[in-house]
PDB file of all heavy atoms in Angstrom:
ATOM      1  N   ASN A   8      -5.274   2.572  -6.317  1.00 42.00           N
ATOM      2  CA  ASN A   8      -6.386   2.408  -7.062  1.00 42.00           C
ATOM      3  C   ASN A   8      -6.794   0.824  -7.098  1.00 42.00           C
ATOM      4  O   ASN A   8      -5.981   0.155  -7.826  1.00 42.00           O
ATOM      5  CB  ASN A   8      -6.339   2.967  -8.443  1.00 42.00           C
ATOM      6  CG  ASN A   8      -7.642   2.871  -9.227  1.00 42.00           C
ATOM      7  OD1 ASN A   8      -8.603   2.344  -8.610  1.00 42.00           O
ATOM      8  ND2 ASN A   8      -7.607   3.527 -10.386  1.00 42.00           N
ATOM      9  N   PRO A   9      -7.808   0.368  -6.536  1.00 43.00           N
ATOM     10  CA  PRO A   9      -8.132  -0.997  -6.637  1.00 43.00           C
ATOM     11  C   PRO A   9      -9.008  -1.390  -7.795  1.00 43.00           C
ATOM     12  O   PRO A   9      -9.434  -2.491  -7.901  1.00 43.00           O
ATOM     13  CB  PRO A   9      -8.922  -1.238  -5.339  1.00 43.00           C
ATOM     14  CG  PRO A   9      -9.682   0.056  -5.107  1.00 43.00           C
ATOM     15  CD  PRO A   9      -8.738   1.113  -5.666  1.00 43.00           C
ATOM     16  N   THR A  10      -9.159  -0.399  -8.722  1.00 40.00           N
ATOM     17  CA  THR A  10     -10.277  -0.695  -9.789  1.00 40.00           C
ATOM     18  C   THR A  10      -9.631  -1.689 -10.754  1.00 40.00           C
ATOM     19  O   THR A  10     -10.281  -2.404 -11.485  1.00 40.00           O
ATOM     20  CB  THR A  10     -10.565   0.511 -10.463  1.00 40.00           C
ATOM     21  OG1 THR A  10      -9.261   1.188 -10.936  1.00 40.00           O
ATOM     22  CG2 THR A  10     -11.229   1.510  -9.530  1.00 40.00           C
ATOM     23  N   ARG A  11      -8.303  -1.886 -10.856  1.00 38.00           N
ATOM     24  CA  ARG A  11      -7.813  -2.700 -11.933  1.00 38.00           C
ATOM     25  C   ARG A  11      -8.050  -4.255 -11.569  1.00 38.00           C
ATOM     26  O   ARG A  11      -7.742  -5.038 -12.434  1.00 38.00           O
ATOM     27  CB  ARG A  11      -6.343  -2.457 -12.110  1.00 38.00           C
ATOM     28  CG  ARG A  11      -5.412  -2.643 -10.918  1.00 38.00           C
ATOM     29  CD  ARG A  11      -3.882  -2.458 -11.411  1.00 38.00           C
ATOM     30  NE  ARG A  11      -3.026  -2.525 -10.424  1.00 38.00           N
ATOM     31  CZ  ARG A  11      -2.451  -1.476  -9.738  1.00 38.00           C
ATOM     32  NH1 ARG A  11      -2.816  -0.245 -10.134  1.00 38.00           N
ATOM     33  NH2 ARG A  11      -1.498  -1.632  -8.859  1.00 38.00           N
ATOM     34  N   SER A  12      -8.498  -4.514 -10.364  1.00 40.00           N
ATOM     35  CA  SER A  12      -8.923  -5.888 -10.150  1.00 40.00           C
ATOM     36  C   SER A  12     -10.254  -6.265 -10.673  1.00 40.00           C
ATOM     37  O   SER A  12     -10.682  -7.330 -10.737  1.00 40.00           O
ATOM     38  CB  SER A  12      -8.969  -6.193  -8.687  1.00 40.00           C
ATOM     39  OG  SER A  12      -9.865  -5.407  -8.005  1.00 40.00           O
ATOM     40  N   ALA A  13     -10.931  -5.188 -11.099  1.00 40.00           N
ATOM     41  CA  ALA A  13     -12.314  -5.516 -11.693  1.00 40.00           C
ATOM     42  C   ALA A  13     -12.257  -5.860 -13.116  1.00 40.00           C
ATOM     43  O   ALA A  13     -11.407  -5.375 -13.849  1.00 40.00           O
ATOM     44  CB  ALA A  13     -13.228  -4.250 -11.522  1.00 40.00           C
ATOM     45  N   SER A  14     -13.083  -6.769 -13.504  1.00 42.00           N
ATOM     46  CA  SER A  14     -13.260  -7.085 -14.950  1.00 42.00           C
ATOM     47  C   SER A  14     -13.991  -6.290 -15.648  1.00 42.00           C
ATOM     48  O   SER A  14     -15.039  -5.708 -15.232  1.00 42.00           O
ATOM     49  CB  SER A  14     -13.762  -8.563 -15.073  1.00 42.00           C
ATOM     50  OG  SER A  14     -12.893  -9.477 -14.386  1.00 42.00           O
ATOM     51  N   PRO A  15     -13.754  -5.936 -16.914  1.00 42.00           N
ATOM     52  CA  PRO A  15     -14.467  -5.028 -17.762  1.00 42.00           C
ATOM     53  C   PRO A  15     -15.960  -5.535 -17.881  1.00 42.00           C
ATOM     54  O   PRO A  15     -16.249  -6.634 -18.118  1.00 42.00           O
ATOM     55  CB  PRO A  15     -13.840  -5.022 -19.135  1.00 42.00           C
ATOM     56  CG  PRO A  15     -12.431  -5.537 -18.867  1.00 42.00           C
ATOM     57  CD  PRO A  15     -12.524  -6.430 -17.670  1.00 42.00           C
ATOM     58  N   ALA A  16     -16.855  -4.530 -17.766  1.00 43.00           N
ATOM     59  CA  ALA A  16     -18.291  -5.004 -17.767  1.00 43.00           C
ATOM     60  C   ALA A  16     -18.643  -5.270 -19.212  1.00 43.00           C
ATOM     61  O   ALA A  16     -19.828  -5.716 -19.398  1.00 43.00           O
ATOM     62  CB  ALA A  16     -19.237  -3.851 -17.179  1.00 43.00           C
ATOM     63  N   THR A  17     -17.919  -4.919 -20.192  1.00 53.00           N
ATOM     64  CA  THR A  17     -18.308  -5.022 -21.571  1.00 53.00           C
ATOM     65  C   THR A  17     -18.124  -6.554 -22.090  1.00 53.00           C
ATOM     66  O   THR A  17     -18.544  -6.792 -23.100  1.00 53.00           O
ATOM     67  CB  THR A  17     -17.481  -4.170 -22.524  1.00 53.00           C
ATOM     68  OG1 THR A  17     -16.153  -4.324 -22.269  1.00 53.00           O
ATOM     69  CG2 THR A  17     -17.928  -2.689 -22.109  1.00 53.00           C
ATOM     70  N   GLU A  18     -17.295  -7.323 -21.297  1.00 69.00           N
ATOM     71  CA  GLU A  18     -17.189  -8.797 -21.705  1.00 69.00           C
ATOM     72  C   GLU A  18     -18.434  -9.441 -21.626  1.00 69.00           C
ATOM     73  O   GLU A  18     -19.261  -9.318 -20.809  1.00 69.00           O
ATOM     74  CB  GLU A  18     -16.183  -9.429 -20.797  1.00 69.00           C
ATOM     75  CG  GLU A  18     -14.695  -8.851 -20.957  1.00 69.00           C
ATOM     76  CD  GLU A  18     -13.782  -9.485 -20.000  1.00 69.00           C
ATOM     77  OE1 GLU A  18     -14.155 -10.510 -19.391  1.00 69.00           O
ATOM     78  OE2 GLU A  18     -12.587  -9.182 -19.901  1.00 69.00           O
ATOM     79  N   ARG A  20     -20.750 -12.179 -20.528  1.00 90.00           N
ATOM     80  CA  ARG A  20     -20.855 -13.106 -19.349  1.00 90.00           C
ATOM     81  C   ARG A  20     -21.830 -14.091 -19.513  1.00 90.00           C
ATOM     82  O   ARG A  20     -22.923 -13.792 -19.991  1.00 90.00           O
ATOM     83  CB  ARG A  20     -20.963 -12.327 -18.106  1.00 90.00           C
ATOM     84  CG  ARG A  20     -20.002 -11.094 -18.078  1.00 90.00           C
ATOM     85  CD  ARG A  20     -18.546 -11.699 -17.936  1.00 90.00           C
ATOM     86  NE  ARG A  20     -17.513 -10.566 -17.778  1.00 90.00           N
ATOM     87  CZ  ARG A  20     -17.209  -9.898 -16.560  1.00 90.00           C
ATOM     88  NH1 ARG A  20     -17.887 -10.340 -15.455  1.00 90.00           N
ATOM     89  NH2 ARG A  20     -16.372  -9.012 -16.651  1.00 90.00           N
ATOM     90  N   GLN A 138     -24.237  -7.473 -11.673  1.00 89.00           N
ATOM     91  CA  GLN A 138     -23.171  -6.960 -12.592  1.00 89.00           C
ATOM     92  C   GLN A 138     -21.836  -6.581 -11.792  1.00 89.00           C
ATOM     93  O   GLN A 138     -20.811  -6.861 -12.123  1.00 89.00           O
ATOM     94  CB  GLN A 138     -23.676  -5.672 -13.300  1.00 89.00           C
ATOM     95  CG  GLN A 138     -22.544  -5.146 -14.264  1.00 89.00           C
ATOM     96  CD  GLN A 138     -22.227  -6.234 -15.376  1.00 89.00           C
ATOM     97  OE1 GLN A 138     -23.108  -6.504 -16.198  1.00 89.00           O
ATOM     98  NE2 GLN A 138     -20.965  -6.552 -15.431  1.00 89.00           N
ATOM     99  N   GLN A 139     -22.168  -6.126 -10.465  1.00 83.00           N
ATOM    100  CA  GLN A 139     -21.070  -5.758  -9.648  1.00 83.00           C
ATOM    101  C   GLN A 139     -20.314  -6.996  -9.266  1.00 83.00           C
ATOM    102  O   GLN A 139     -19.007  -7.069  -9.174  1.00 83.00           O
ATOM    103  CB  GLN A 139     -21.605  -4.955  -8.381  1.00 83.00           C
ATOM    104  CG  GLN A 139     -20.355  -4.555  -7.568  1.00 83.00           C
ATOM    105  CD  GLN A 139     -20.976  -3.882  -6.275  1.00 83.00           C
ATOM    106  OE1 GLN A 139     -21.774  -4.404  -5.560  1.00 83.00           O
ATOM    107  NE2 GLN A 139     -20.299  -2.845  -5.918  1.00 83.00           N
ATOM    108  N   LEU A 140     -20.969  -8.198  -8.978  1.00 84.00           N
ATOM    109  CA  LEU A 140     -20.387  -9.435  -8.655  1.00 84.00           C
ATOM    110  C   LEU A 140     -19.513  -9.813  -9.903  1.00 84.00           C
ATOM    111  O   LEU A 140     -18.418 -10.354  -9.798  1.00 84.00           O
ATOM    112  CB  LEU A 140     -21.406 -10.491  -8.415  1.00 84.00           C
ATOM    113  CG  LEU A 140     -21.909 -10.742  -7.091  1.00 84.00           C
ATOM    114  CD1 LEU A 140     -22.780 -11.976  -6.942  1.00 84.00           C
ATOM    115  CD2 LEU A 140     -20.731 -10.720  -5.952  1.00 84.00           C
ATOM    116  N   LEU A 141     -20.087  -9.695 -11.021  1.00 87.00           N
ATOM    117  CA  LEU A 141     -19.270 -10.160 -12.281  1.00 87.00           C
ATOM    118  C   LEU A 141     -18.100  -9.225 -12.496  1.00 87.00           C
ATOM    119  O   LEU A 141     -17.063  -9.594 -12.949  1.00 87.00           O
ATOM    120  CB  LEU A 141     -20.275  -9.965 -13.445  1.00 87.00           C
ATOM    121  CG  LEU A 141     -21.267 -10.970 -13.516  1.00 87.00           C
ATOM    122  CD1 LEU A 141     -22.249 -10.623 -14.608  1.00 87.00           C
ATOM    123  CD2 LEU A 141     -20.757 -12.408 -13.774  1.00 87.00           C
ATOM    124  N   ASP A 142     -18.076  -8.010 -11.949  1.00 82.00           N
ATOM    125  CA  ASP A 142     -16.985  -7.044 -12.188  1.00 82.00           C
ATOM    126  C   ASP A 142     -15.958  -7.339 -11.254  1.00 82.00           C
ATOM    127  O   ASP A 142     -14.722  -6.855 -11.361  1.00 82.00           O
ATOM    128  CB  ASP A 142     -17.486  -5.656 -12.007  1.00 82.00           C
ATOM    129  CG  ASP A 142     -18.269  -5.202 -13.317  1.00 82.00           C
ATOM    130  OD1 ASP A 142     -18.246  -5.821 -14.227  1.00 82.00           O
ATOM    131  OD2 ASP A 142     -18.919  -4.029 -13.095  1.00 82.00           O
ATOM    132  N   PHE A 143     -16.192  -8.096 -10.050  1.00 76.00           N
ATOM    133  CA  PHE A 143     -15.143  -8.254  -9.031  1.00 76.00           C
ATOM    134  C   PHE A 143     -15.163  -9.806  -8.739  1.00 76.00           C
ATOM    135  O   PHE A 143     -15.654 -10.268  -7.723  1.00 76.00           O
ATOM    136  CB  PHE A 143     -15.529  -7.561  -7.656  1.00 76.00           C
ATOM    137  CG  PHE A 143     -15.456  -6.128  -7.933  1.00 76.00           C
ATOM    138  CD1 PHE A 143     -16.569  -5.233  -8.133  1.00 76.00           C
ATOM    139  CD2 PHE A 143     -14.169  -5.475  -7.664  1.00 76.00           C
ATOM    140  CE1 PHE A 143     -16.340  -3.955  -8.399  1.00 76.00           C
ATOM    141  CE2 PHE A 143     -14.137  -3.949  -7.905  1.00 76.00           C
ATOM    142  CZ  PHE A 143     -15.243  -3.402  -8.182  1.00 76.00           C
ATOM    143  N   PRO A 144     -14.665 -10.560  -9.800  1.00 70.00           N
ATOM    144  CA  PRO A 144     -14.643 -12.104  -9.552  1.00 70.00           C
ATOM    145  C   PRO A 144     -13.641 -12.443  -8.602  1.00 70.00           C
ATOM    146  O   PRO A 144     -12.624 -11.654  -8.258  1.00 70.00           O
ATOM    147  CB  PRO A 144     -14.315 -12.538 -11.007  1.00 70.00           C
ATOM    148  CG  PRO A 144     -13.348 -11.406 -11.565  1.00 70.00           C
ATOM    149  CD  PRO A 144     -14.028 -10.150 -11.065  1.00 70.00           C
ATOM    150  N   PRO A 145     -13.651 -13.668  -8.001  1.00 65.00           N
ATOM    151  CA  PRO A 145     -12.616 -14.112  -6.918  1.00 65.00           C
ATOM    152  C   PRO A 145     -11.332 -14.236  -7.786  1.00 65.00           C
ATOM    153  O   PRO A 145     -11.234 -14.470  -9.020  1.00 65.00           O
ATOM    154  CB  PRO A 145     -13.065 -15.486  -6.540  1.00 65.00           C
ATOM    155  CG  PRO A 145     -13.929 -15.827  -7.655  1.00 65.00           C
ATOM    156  CD  PRO A 145     -14.649 -14.622  -8.187  1.00 65.00           C
ATOM    157  N   ALA A 371     -10.731  -7.987  -1.136  1.00 76.00           N
ATOM    158  CA  ALA A 371      -9.755  -7.078  -1.546  1.00 76.00           C
ATOM    159  C   ALA A 371      -8.835  -7.481  -2.637  1.00 76.00           C
ATOM    160  O   ALA A 371      -8.461  -8.698  -2.654  1.00 76.00           O
ATOM    161  CB  ALA A 371      -9.019  -6.599  -0.379  1.00 76.00           C
ATOM    162  N   PRO A 372      -8.265  -6.616  -3.553  1.00 71.00           N
ATOM    163  CA  PRO A 372      -7.389  -7.099  -4.544  1.00 71.00           C
ATOM    164  C   PRO A 372      -6.013  -7.578  -3.974  1.00 71.00           C
ATOM    165  O   PRO A 372      -5.359  -6.750  -3.267  1.00 71.00           O
ATOM    166  CB  PRO A 372      -7.303  -5.909  -5.503  1.00 71.00           C
ATOM    167  CG  PRO A 372      -7.644  -4.691  -4.618  1.00 71.00           C
ATOM    168  CD  PRO A 372      -8.651  -5.248  -3.615  1.00 71.00           C
ATOM    169  N   GLU A 374      -3.179  -7.697  -5.388  1.00 73.00           N
ATOM    170  CA  GLU A 374      -1.926  -6.818  -5.718  1.00 73.00           C
ATOM    171  C   GLU A 374      -1.834  -5.584  -4.949  1.00 73.00           C
ATOM    172  O   GLU A 374      -0.814  -4.941  -4.794  1.00 73.00           O
ATOM    173  CB  GLU A 374      -2.072  -6.527  -7.259  1.00 73.00           C
ATOM    174  CG  GLU A 374      -3.148  -5.686  -7.727  1.00 73.00           C
ATOM    175  CD  GLU A 374      -4.399  -6.638  -8.063  1.00 73.00           C
ATOM    176  OE1 GLU A 374      -4.499  -7.641  -7.601  1.00 73.00           O
ATOM    177  OE2 GLU A 374      -5.195  -5.995  -8.781  1.00 73.00           O
ATOM    178  N   GLU A 375      -2.891  -5.037  -4.331  1.00 79.00           N
ATOM    179  CA  GLU A 375      -2.943  -3.868  -3.602  1.00 79.00           C
ATOM    180  C   GLU A 375      -2.825  -4.166  -2.014  1.00 79.00           C
ATOM    181  O   GLU A 375      -2.064  -3.470  -1.309  1.00 79.00           O
ATOM    182  CB  GLU A 375      -4.201  -3.086  -3.772  1.00 79.00           C
ATOM    183  CG  GLU A 375      -4.522  -2.706  -5.310  1.00 79.00           C
ATOM    184  CD  GLU A 375      -3.496  -1.788  -5.831  1.00 79.00           C
ATOM    185  OE1 GLU A 375      -2.797  -1.216  -5.062  1.00 79.00           O
ATOM    186  OE2 GLU A 375      -3.574  -1.594  -7.017  1.00 79.00           O
ATOM    187  N   SER A 464     -12.334   3.428  -6.877  1.00 76.00           N
ATOM    188  CA  SER A 464     -13.637   2.967  -7.448  1.00 76.00           C
ATOM    189  C   SER A 464     -14.767   2.979  -6.415  1.00 76.00           C
ATOM    190  O   SER A 464     -14.737   2.282  -5.523  1.00 76.00           O
ATOM    191  CB  SER A 464     -13.349   1.722  -8.132  1.00 76.00           C
ATOM    192  OG  SER A 464     -14.549   0.965  -8.328  1.00 76.00           O
ATOM    193  N   ALA A 466     -17.628   1.779  -6.932  1.00 81.00           N
ATOM    194  CA  ALA A 466     -18.219   0.347  -7.053  1.00 81.00           C
ATOM    195  C   ALA A 466     -17.406  -0.495  -6.051  1.00 81.00           C
ATOM    196  O   ALA A 466     -17.920  -1.417  -5.415  1.00 81.00           O
ATOM    197  CB  ALA A 466     -18.169  -0.009  -8.453  1.00 81.00           C
ATOM    198  N   TRP A 467     -16.005  -0.415  -6.057  1.00 83.00           N
ATOM    199  CA  TRP A 467     -15.297  -1.327  -5.252  1.00 83.00           C
ATOM    200  C   TRP A 467     -15.473  -1.034  -3.737  1.00 83.00           C
ATOM    201  O   TRP A 467     -15.682  -1.922  -2.937  1.00 83.00           O
ATOM    202  CB  TRP A 467     -13.786  -1.147  -5.538  1.00 83.00           C
ATOM    203  CG  TRP A 467     -12.898  -1.999  -4.714  1.00 83.00           C
ATOM    204  CD1 TRP A 467     -12.708  -3.357  -4.661  1.00 83.00           C
ATOM    205  CD2 TRP A 467     -12.305  -1.638  -3.508  1.00 83.00           C
ATOM    206  NE1 TRP A 467     -11.940  -3.805  -3.675  1.00 83.00           N
ATOM    207  CE2 TRP A 467     -11.626  -2.742  -2.905  1.00 83.00           C
ATOM    208  CE3 TRP A 467     -11.964  -0.343  -2.833  1.00 83.00           C
ATOM    209  CZ2 TRP A 467     -10.826  -2.722  -1.710  1.00 83.00           C
ATOM    210  CZ3 TRP A 467     -11.243  -0.241  -1.774  1.00 83.00           C
ATOM    211  CH2 TRP A 467     -10.620  -1.514  -1.266  1.00 83.00           C
ATOM    212  N   HIS A 470     -18.778  -2.557  -2.827  1.00 85.00           N
ATOM    213  CA  HIS A 470     -18.394  -3.983  -2.682  1.00 85.00           C
ATOM    214  C   HIS A 470     -17.894  -4.413  -1.505  1.00 85.00           C
ATOM    215  O   HIS A 470     -18.251  -5.323  -0.745  1.00 85.00           O
ATOM    216  CB  HIS A 470     -17.559  -4.463  -3.982  1.00 85.00           C
ATOM    217  CG  HIS A 470     -16.953  -5.687  -3.803  1.00 85.00           C
ATOM    218  ND1 HIS A 470     -17.449  -7.038  -3.946  1.00 85.00           N
ATOM    219  CD2 HIS A 470     -15.684  -6.009  -3.422  1.00 85.00           C
ATOM    220  CE1 HIS A 470     -16.717  -7.967  -3.847  1.00 85.00           C
ATOM    221  NE2 HIS A 470     -15.559  -7.444  -3.392  1.00 85.00           N
TER     222      HIS A 470
END
Side-chain angles (χ1 to χ4, degrees):
N8 184 1
T10 57
R11 59 174 174 263
S12 66
S14 300
T17 56
E18 293 180 5
R20 306 299 181 82
Q138 182 64 59
Q139 187 182 43
L140 270 190
L141 292 169
D142 288 343
F143 293 93
E374 65 269 23
E375 307 293 348
S464 161
W467 176 77
H470 161 82

